[in-house]
Amino acid sequence: MEKRYNAFTGYFREKYGCRLQKIVIDAGFTCPNRDGKVGVGGCTYCNNAAFHPNYSTPDKSIFQQLEEGIEFHRGRYRNTTDYLAYFQSYSNTYAPLDNLKMLYEEALEHPKVRGIVIGTRPDCVDGTLLDYLASLAREKVVIVEYGIESCYDRTLSRINRGHNFDVARRAVEETAARGLFQGAHFIFGLPGESVEDMMGMAPIINSLPLNTLKFHQLQIIKGTAMEMEYANRREDFVEFSLDGYIDFFIDFLELLRPDLYIERFAGEVPPRFVNHTPWGLIRNTELLRLLEKRLVERDTFQGKLYK
Ligand code: SF4
């Protein structure tokens, strides 16, 4: 490990011999936590518009979104020639299997697309779908990405996730049983969780057969139920300063399994979507630089305390 943590950057180059750029696709899915199947109103922190690049809107075909996304990234990464279609918006397995096949396969027909990344909820997969994805993965890159957010049922209930942690564990185990590459997303700073609670998630995450991890500090998105909760019960939220978060994350990293890839440890939602920006406006590249600098200062690394 060149870096002091197992950075996901570089994984594709190592495994496939080239950089693979993700192109975000909005295929017009909804979410069972919004349409009434599981719940209404969605998770209390959710405003999907906050995660959308402009080129991905469901009124465009998948092919057109890919073309525009490739054009958008061409200026930034001139040497990139291969792409992954990233089905990111809402729950991207929440449709009958035949519809899903049409959408995924439309993306895979694009000559520059090497594979798909599918973001979804753990309660939106079943054995038949996972078998199909495993069959696709014989020829293409297929990555399943689950929003898990917290390992604690009391938190999942408070943020209105509409599923418990056991559902997430089962989905991850069934996905791993089929040999699929998979990641999960977690949020630090959810209401009611202390720093010790968050730290306590490390051994639980270690026990899951995951490959990659994305973490986010909680950001209060305008217009969400959580904005109201934050205004009324601020004492229930652990708020990190930028330096405090980096030190917290390094403590967490020391406990993590060394083979788990870290795809993201923090992130900034565009400022127009958040109700405040406690860290100022800071780019992801700068966040990574600060993390690496602090790891060197503390002379520590991912998994140092992993048992
Ligand atoms: S599951 Fe995802 S899309 Fe659905 S409400 Fe929660 S965060 Fe939003």
Side-chain angles (χ1 to χ4, degrees):
M1 181 162 68
E2 276 174 33
K3 295 196 175 189
R4 287 171 180 261
Y5 65 99
N6 196 18
F8 191 63
T9 322
Y11 168 81
F12 291 128
R13 193 177 291 284
E14 209 170 283
K15 176 134 183 161
Y16 301 106
C18 63
R19 186 174 186 284
L20 296 178
Q21 173 63 46
K22 288 182 197 166
I23 304 291
V24 172
I25 300 293
D26 184 337
F29 287 100
T30 174
C31 161
N33 202 18
R34 291 181 161 274
D35 71 2
K37 185 173 179 218
V38 169
V40 285
C43 308
T44 56
Y45 55 83
C46 170
N47 171 0
N48 243 258
F51 311 110
H52 254 236
N54 290 338
Y55 62 76
S56 83
T57 52
D59 55 309
K60 299 175 193 164
S61 71
I62 287 177
F63 190 88
Q64 190 183 350
Q65 291 182 53
L66 285 166
E67 285 287 293
E68 289 184 25
I70 290 169
E71 194 50 43
F72 175 83
H73 286 286
R74 203 190 304 276
R76 294 170 69 203
Y77 306 108
R78 290 212 188 85
N79 297 329
T80 302
T81 53
D82 294 64
Y83 297 87
L84 296 174
Y86 184 14
F87 289 84
Q88 186 193 39
S89 309
Y90 297 101
S91 302
N92 292 276
T93 56
Y94 185 44
L97 185 57
D98 284 342
N99 298 20
L100 296 176
K101 285 182 178 176
M102 259 169 31
L103 295 167
Y104 302 156
E105 288 170 25
E106 183 182 343
L108 289 169
E109 273 165 23
H110 192 289
K112 291 186 174 159
V113 168
R114 292 278 297 272
I116 50 178
V117 182
I118 303 166
T120 193
R121 290 166 56 89
D123 59 354
C124 282
V125 294
D126 61 25
T128 315
L129 168 70
L130 293 171
D131 286 342
Y132 162 69
L133 294 179
S135 72
L136 280 184
R138 283 189 216 115
E139 309 247 318
K140 303 285 182 182
V141 180
V142 176
I143 300 176
V144 184
E145 199 175 273
Y146 290 113
I148 298 181
E149 320 310 351
S150 170
C151 298
Y152 302 116
D153 286 348
R154 64 172 194 282
T155 308
L156 294 173
S157 159
R158 181 162 176 176
I159 63 175
N160 195 37
R161 273 295 292 183
H163 65 77
N164 61 20
F165 182 68
D166 206 45
V167 168
R169 178 181 289 284
R170 259 183 284 132
V172 168
E173 285 172 351
E174 286 196 26
T175 306
R178 288 159 177 87
L180 285 159
F181 192 90
Q182 60 177 331
H185 182 265
F186 297 90
I187 301 173
F188 288 129
L190 288 169
E193 288 192 0
S194 64
V195 171
E196 292 69 35
D197 291 333
M198 293 176 232
M199 213 54 84
M201 296 210 302
I204 304 173
I205 292 171
N206 288 339
S207 74
L208 299 175
L210 287 163
N211 305 101
T212 75
L213 299 172
K214 281 184 184 173
F215 298 97
H216 240 108
Q217 80 281 20
L218 179 70
Q219 287 179 282
I220 308 292
I221 311 288
K222 282 184 196 161
T224 58
M226 192 164 285
E227 186 179 33
M228 192 86 80
E229 191 180 5
Y230 178 74
N232 294 330
R233 299 202 48 103
R234 206 153 171 163
E235 66 279 12
D236 289 358
F237 293 76
V238 169
E239 294 189 70
F240 292 101
S241 65
L242 175 54
D243 290 346
Y245 183 80
I246 288 175
D247 270 321
F248 157 78
F249 187 73
I250 291 176
D251 293 342
F252 190 85
L253 206 50
E254 289 180 331
L255 298 171
L256 272 187
R257 237 170 57 211
D259 65 287
L260 286 164
Y261 286 102
I262 307 299
E263 212 169 335
R264 183 184 303 140
F265 85 101
E268 291 282 277
V269 173
R272 66 185 184 281
F273 291 111
V274 286
N275 94 346
H276 68 313
T277 51
W279 298 354
L281 297 179
I282 182 159
R283 298 181 74 92
N284 285 337
T285 46
E286 177 61 5
L287 286 169
L288 286 174
R289 194 190 68 75
L290 292 172
L291 174 67
E292 285 170 25
K293 179 169 164 274
R294 189 70 182 129
L295 280 163
V296 171
E297 280 166 8
R298 286 180 49 175
D299 190 21
T300 190
F301 52 88
Q302 178 177 348
K304 184 178 184 183
L305 303 177
Y306 170 68
K307 295 194 189 97

